[in-house]
Amino acid sequence: MGPVSGTVTAGRGTWRRCMSASRPLHGVARTALGVARMRAAESARPDRLFEDPYAQAFVAAGAQSQAAAIGEATADTSSSPQPEQGVPEPGSLRALMAYQTVIRTRFYDDYLLDACDRGIRQIVLLAAGMDTRAYRLGWPVGLRLYEVDLPSVLEFKDDVMSGADAVTACTRVSCPADLREDWPSALTEAGFAPGEPTAWLAEGLLIYLTAEEAAELLTRIGDLSAPGSRLACERGDGIDWLREQAKEVPALSRAVGLWKGGLGDDTGGWLEGNGWSVEQHDLSSLAESYGRTPPTASRSGFLVATREGDKPEESAVEVSGASDASAADESNLPD
């Protein structure tokens, strides 16, 4: 099978694409497979808020690689999400986290398409993980979408997408880099243009960083952002509450144990103090606009920041209304 159509691999030399799904992901990278599982479950709903036709392929590949790693001959790779694959019981903490992931995915879909409506033609997904937006969203002509993550994660992803005969709807640039190192140089070497407005997405990322690491990452983003650039991330509140609740759920407590908190509820204030204007979006309000009722009280939300130097326009993200299905680690972090 040849390379995925529309994909450019950037980096130092040519790295092997023979990793195959037999090598399992670990740690933070494995949480990206959990997020893919949640996207697969949502995509199977008749009232889905988005459709990700590739999410289940990651679930299957993850099961295969894990089975191979422990010497099992077979693994469950059925096309429909099964209860044992992580579909949560209604009212549980896992249901709340799945709900937050679904709303987050739809909101960020809308955010990126809105950025394109504003004329932005380059997007950067930091710690892209198993993100499939390059393939499943309708992009304008000329869009370049950069995916930054570790080589092992991008290789795993490209193998799965190649096996699914997936074709991108934009120019996807796969940029292997470690966010703890000099990733800005790797990004610019891959063709990124700092002088042009950019839509940045740090989805599910900052919570896995310390406050110092998060501030350094955001500083680098600012240094690479022309006036009018956009940045979306989680608001950062409710982390302590979720961490406390997760102590009662062993599977979740292991994942939550990887959290470092980022800048917490000071994320918006940090951005405002460092050259960005910030919009706040409450998760529960967004869910209601999509026609979804929260399973329990939500303490989370999102930030959309605009790099100062260009007058921000009114966001079109929150007014998308009820739920048309979108025509829509060893990782740095999960998608």
Side-chain angles (χ1 to χ4, degrees):
M1 185 80 61
V4 177
S5 176
T7 296
V8 177
T9 299
R12 298 172 185 172
T14 301
W15 40 280
R16 294 181 303 113
R17 294 196 65 258
C18 60
M19 177 182 172
S20 88
S22 64
R23 183 179 301 177
L25 299 175
H26 299 284
V28 173
R30 189 156 184 80
T31 68
L33 295 175
V35 173
R37 184 176 297 122
M38 295 174 190
R39 293 201 307 267
E42 175 66 18
S43 297
R45 291 178 57 140
D47 62 341
R48 56 189 173 272
L49 299 185
F50 56 85
E51 185 171 6
D52 186 344
Y54 308 107
Q56 186 60 29
F58 291 120
V59 176
Q64 287 179 328
S65 63
Q66 190 67 18
I70 62 177
E72 295 179 359
T74 61
D76 179 6
T77 60
S78 59
S79 59
S80 299
Q82 303 297 319
E84 65 269 25
Q85 292 177 317
V87 176
E89 295 183 6
S92 67
L93 179 61
R94 295 180 73 187
L96 173 61
M97 296 184 76
Y99 150 80
Q100 291 180 338
T101 297
V102 167
I103 302 304
R104 181 180 82 182
T105 300
R106 171 60 184 268
F107 177 74
Y108 288 150
D109 283 357
D110 291 345
Y111 153 74
L112 291 171
L113 293 174
D114 175 63
C116 292
D117 289 344
R118 297 168 183 267
I120 290 176
R121 290 297 180 269
Q122 63 180 3
I123 290 172
V124 179
L125 308 181
L126 295 169
M130 306 302 128
D131 190 295
T132 62
R133 292 184 175 97
Y135 303 86
R136 65 179 181 82
L137 294 184
W139 300 111
V141 174
L143 182 87
R144 292 178 66 83
L145 188 150
Y146 297 85
E147 295 187 0
V148 184
D149 215 320
L150 292 178
S152 59
V153 175
L154 294 175
E155 289 176 1
F156 181 97
K157 176 179 183 173
D158 282 355
D159 282 342
V160 172
M161 298 305 281
S162 180
D165 292 327
V167 178
T168 61
C170 62
T171 299
R172 170 182 174 258
V173 182
S174 181
C175 184
D178 191 329
L179 291 177
R180 297 164 297 185
E181 299 176 0
D182 187 16
W183 62 268
S185 292
L187 186 61
T188 53
E189 288 172 6
F192 174 80
E196 299 178 10
T198 305
W200 300 87
L201 180 57
E203 181 174 8
L205 169 58
L206 299 182
I207 196 172
Y208 291 90
L209 305 177
T210 66
E212 181 179 11
E213 289 168 339
E216 180 178 4
L217 179 76
L218 294 174
T219 297
R220 287 177 164 180
I221 292 172
D223 291 343
L224 293 169
S225 295
S229 292
R230 310 271 280 173
L231 164 66
C233 61
E234 286 77 57
R235 200 164 60 191
D237 49 349
I239 295 173
D240 291 338
W241 179 80
L242 277 174
R243 184 182 283 120
E244 189 65 27
Q245 298 298 310
K247 289 180 180 178
E248 306 300 321
V249 185
L252 290 180
S253 64
R254 288 192 293 272
V256 169
L258 298 170
W259 293 356
K260 298 180 181 178
L263 291 168
D265 57 12
D266 189 44
T267 305
W270 189 98
L271 289 168
E272 289 178 336
N274 287 273
W276 300 84
S277 60
V278 178
E279 306 166 12
Q280 305 252 357
H281 298 269
D282 182 71
L283 188 144
S284 293
S285 297
L286 287 167
E288 291 176 3
S289 77
Y290 300 149
R292 290 287 173 89
T293 301
T296 186
S298 171
R299 311 187 184 194
S300 184
F302 312 99
L303 302 175
V304 174
T306 302
R307 193 63 172 165
E308 293 178 347
D310 190 70
K311 184 178 179 181
E313 299 176 33
E314 183 178 355
S315 173
V317 173
E318 194 167 356
V319 297
S320 47
S323 60
D324 283 3
S326 178
D329 250 274
E330 270 162 291
S331 167
N332 290 303
L333 257 225
D335 132 50

